[in-house]
């Protein structure tokens, strides 16, 4: 069974940074696309980033230039580096691949 | 960017009734469309992938159809645990989610 476990969320001030991690088991992050999806309180799902098997990375316009997705094949882990955070980035962040989702990690951006 | 629209926004039905949810794409996504169910405080759960394939463990009352730009999720007879929000998602060109349809109890 595929399992994804996110960590790294928390409270951060506007303009600050956080790095989220997604530890994956049962599939290889190097052989599968891995995505990050977020959900603001009371809102719908928003796709924000993907890293493909070949290493290509793509971002939603809302985070382009501020967020960076990466992976560590040796640790079978995917990361989301989030810089210059804004209040509107407050959300639960999920990693997902091929229909399997983690439980999410909450990021709160507030002064 | 491919935009997905879902209708209706809210569907009020009683247990045992049939639910029909629609998802329309702004351009063709072929069959690269999935349906998810989400309950409060939980991660989304994959129901249907590639437009019409049930995911592992999903009851047969859930079915998906469509291709190109128009898709439908049908729940043949609503069970109490089916009242939730349903999202469609395309993966034909990057990824996009629809805004969701809330199925609530009438």
């Amino acid at each position: 069974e595929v399992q994804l476990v996110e960590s790294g969320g928390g409270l951060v001030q506007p303009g600050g940074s956080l790095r989220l991690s997604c530890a994956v088991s049962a599939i290889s992050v190097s052989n599968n696309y891995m995505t990050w999806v977020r959900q603001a309180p009371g809102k719908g799902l928003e796709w924000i980033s993907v890293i493909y098997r070949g290493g290509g990375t793509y971002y939603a316009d809302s985070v382009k230039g501020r967020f960076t997705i990466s992976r560590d094949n040796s640790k079978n882990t995917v990361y989301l580096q989030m810089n210059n955070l804004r209040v509107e980035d407050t959300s639960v962040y999920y990693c997902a691949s091929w229909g399997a989702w983690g439980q999410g990690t909450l990021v709160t951006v507030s002064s | 960017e491919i935009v997905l629209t879902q209708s209706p926004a809210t569907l009020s039905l009683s247990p045992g009734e049939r639910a029909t949810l629609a998802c329309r794409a702004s351009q063709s996504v072929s069959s690269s469309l999935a349906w998810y169910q989400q309950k409060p405080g939980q991660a989304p759960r994959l129901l249907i992938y590639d437009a019409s394939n049930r995911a592992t463990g999903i009851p047969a009352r859930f079915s998906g159809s469509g291709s190109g730009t128009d898709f439908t999720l049908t729940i043949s007879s609503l069970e109490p645990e089916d009242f939730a929000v349903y999202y469609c998602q395309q993966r034909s060109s990057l990824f996009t989610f629809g805004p969701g349809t809330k199925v609530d109890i009438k």
Side-chain angles (χ1 to χ4, degrees):
Chain A
E1 180 187 356
V2 179
Q3 288 197 328
L4 302 93
V5 179
E6 303 95 337
S7 60
L11 175 63
V12 61
Q13 292 188 336
S17 298
L18 276 179
R19 188 178 82 156
L20 306 183
S21 300
C22 174
V24 181
S25 59
I27 62 170
S28 169
V29 300
S30 62
N31 286 332
N32 293 278
Y33 73 79
M34 302 298 301
T35 67
W36 285 96
V37 175
R38 69 183 179 183
Q39 187 169 36
K43 303 297 184 181
L45 301 169
E46 179 189 15
W47 169 79
I48 56 172
S49 185
V50 61
I51 183 165
Y52 284 108
R53 186 169 73 172
T57 59
Y58 298 88
Y59 302 91
D61 288 345
S62 58
V63 305
K64 198 174 296 181
R66 301 187 298 125
F67 290 12
T68 303
I69 190 171
S70 63
R71 68 189 180 201
D72 184 330
N73 296 339
S74 67
K75 295 182 178 179
N76 214 35
T77 297
V78 178
Y79 302 98
L80 187 69
Q81 177 66 44
M82 306 187 295
N83 297 330
N84 192 20
L85 282 160
R86 305 168 179 168
V87 171
E88 56 266 33
D89 294 320
T90 295
S91 292
V92 174
Y93 285 74
Y94 297 99
C95 66
S97 179
W98 293 109
W101 292 61
Q103 83 289 347
T105 187
L106 176 62
V107 173
T108 303
V109 186
S110 174
S111 54
Chain B
E1 177 191 351
I2 296 176
V3 176
L4 299 179
T5 56
Q6 291 186 242
S7 60
T10 304
L11 196 52
S12 297
L13 295 169
S14 300
E17 288 193 295
R18 182 184 188 91
T20 303
L21 288 67
C23 177
R24 174 166 287 179
S26 59
Q27 62 191 79
S28 176
V29 299
S30 186
S31 294
S32 298
L33 190 106
W35 290 93
Y36 289 89
Q37 176 193 68
Q38 189 179 33
K39 297 179 181 179
Q42 296 183 15
R45 172 194 179 198
L46 178 66
L47 300 174
I48 302 289
Y49 65 94
D50 292 345
S52 61
N53 297 287
R54 267 191 307 277
T56 302
I58 301 304
R61 64 181 181 272
F62 291 92
S63 63
S65 63
S67 66
T69 60
D70 290 290
F71 301 86
T72 301
L73 174 70
T74 301
I75 311 171
S76 60
S77 178
L78 282 164
E79 297 288 339
E81 62 268 27
D82 298 337
F83 292 92
V85 179
Y86 293 82
Y87 295 95
C88 57
Q89 180 208 35
Q90 67 83 21
R91 61 177 182 86
S92 173
S93 175
L94 296 181
F95 299 84
T96 316
F97 288 93
T101 290
K102 183 177 183 180
V103 179
D104 65 15
I105 299 176
K106 187 174 182 180

